[in-house]
Amino acid sequence: GNSVTQMEGPVTLSEEAFLTINCTYTATGYPSLFWYVQYPGEGLQLLLKATKADDKGSNKGFEATYRKETTSFHLEKGSVQVSDSAVYFCALSPDDKVIFGPGTSLSVIP
Amino acid sequence: DSGVTQTPKHLITATGQRVTLRCSPRSGDLSVYWYQQSLDQGLQFLIQYYNGEERAKGNILERFSAQQFPDLHSELNLSSLELGDSALYFCASSEGQAFYNSPLHFGNGTRLTVT
């Protein structure tokens, strides 16, 4: 079946630290991959996406590369800010449905 | 602002009761999705409508039902409520039928508390 696994949180980093949130998936075919972010008290927002192997999605300093050989889509940012504190969800869409991972909570401290 | 409006923001009710959650999608979006978010279950897909018709069904209980009206707004009806139904309920909308080519835009959710 289709599934998404994310590293467990919470993750706590100091401002300007390097961020990696791991995401691996199991899917049939060639799914599109997404990262969504949920800020406190809000709904999810699309952060970035990649629709085929080796595509790199990027937005607001965040990047993730679609790695078919390792079935991964790890989220990275070179220098996090306090305002990046949120919950990050990896998601995949193998067909007309979407499957979200459990989410990883990130706290960035000054 | 995602353009998706959900009402009410908070709802407190008793077990056994019935409630209706409402969602207005982003202008131009034809698909509406309902999700339930709880601490133990994470984000669970409930149901999707496209242009008034049911398109996909997820982990939606028989006590729950939804519909999408001609003006494209949607309502999620929850009946015979149990304590375990307490959660955040999100509505999302997208332009197309398929999520992979039409990202979702989420509302801010309705927090349901069943006492």
Side-chain angles (χ1 to χ4, degrees):
Chain A
N2 301 308
S3 66
V4 178
T5 302
Q6 287 182 239
M7 63 186 289
E8 289 189 18
V11 174
T12 303
L13 294 174
S14 297
E15 208 165 20
E16 299 184 4
F18 184 85
L19 168 72
T20 299
I21 300 179
N22 290 337
C23 170
T24 56
Y25 66 90
T26 303
T28 53
Y30 304 94
S32 293
L33 301 174
F34 306 82
W35 277 100
Y36 276 76
V37 59
Q38 184 180 26
Y39 297 104
E42 298 182 11
L44 280 70
Q45 303 174 26
L46 178 65
L47 182 59
L48 53 85
K49 69 175 184 179
T51 56
K52 60 183 188 296
D54 299 325
D55 266 3
K56 178 186 281 189
S58 62
N59 186 25
K60 299 181 181 179
F62 291 89
E63 292 183 341
T65 301
Y66 190 139
R67 299 286 188 202
K68 185 169 177 292
E69 63 276 11
T70 54
T71 61
S72 65
F73 193 55
H74 304 321
L75 182 68
E76 297 181 336
K77 186 175 186 183
S79 176
V80 293
Q81 306 300 313
V82 172
S83 58
D84 294 327
S85 298
V87 180
Y88 292 81
F89 293 87
C90 185
L92 70 88
S93 180
D95 44 41
D96 58 353
K97 295 184 181 56
V98 59
I99 298 162
F100 285 92
T104 300
S105 175
L106 170 67
S107 291
V108 180
I109 53 177
Chain B
D1 183 8
S2 68
V4 178
T5 303
Q6 287 188 250
T7 56
K9 289 184 180 177
H10 302 277
L11 204 47
I12 301 174
T13 189
T15 54
Q17 295 299 304
R18 172 190 168 96
V19 296
T20 297
L21 312 184
R22 182 188 168 100
C23 170
S24 294
R26 205 174 62 133
S27 177
D29 286 355
L30 298 179
S31 277
V32 169
Y33 304 74
W34 286 97
Y35 287 87
Q36 180 193 59
Q37 186 179 41
S38 60
L39 282 175
D40 55 344
Q41 295 289 322
L43 197 63
Q44 298 287 317
F45 167 66
L46 296 178
I47 197 164
Q48 178 202 358
Y49 281 83
Y50 176 77
N51 204 19
E53 294 191 5
E54 184 182 302
R55 179 80 174 86
K57 222 168 187 176
N59 302 323
I60 188 165
L61 300 172
E62 285 192 11
R63 300 184 285 110
F64 296 0
S65 64
Q67 54 184 328
Q68 186 179 28
F69 294 89
D71 66 353
L72 300 177
H73 92 270
S74 178
E75 293 181 355
L76 178 67
N77 300 296
L78 314 176
S79 61
S80 303
L81 285 168
E82 302 174 359
L83 294 177
D85 297 328
S86 297
L88 253 179
Y89 291 84
F90 285 106
C91 170
S93 71
S94 70
E95 184 178 338
Q97 292 189 53
F99 175 72
Y100 57 80
N101 63 4
S102 184
L104 300 182
H105 302 270
F106 281 79
N108 285 347
T110 293
R111 181 169 292 283
L112 173 66
T113 302
V114 182
T115 62

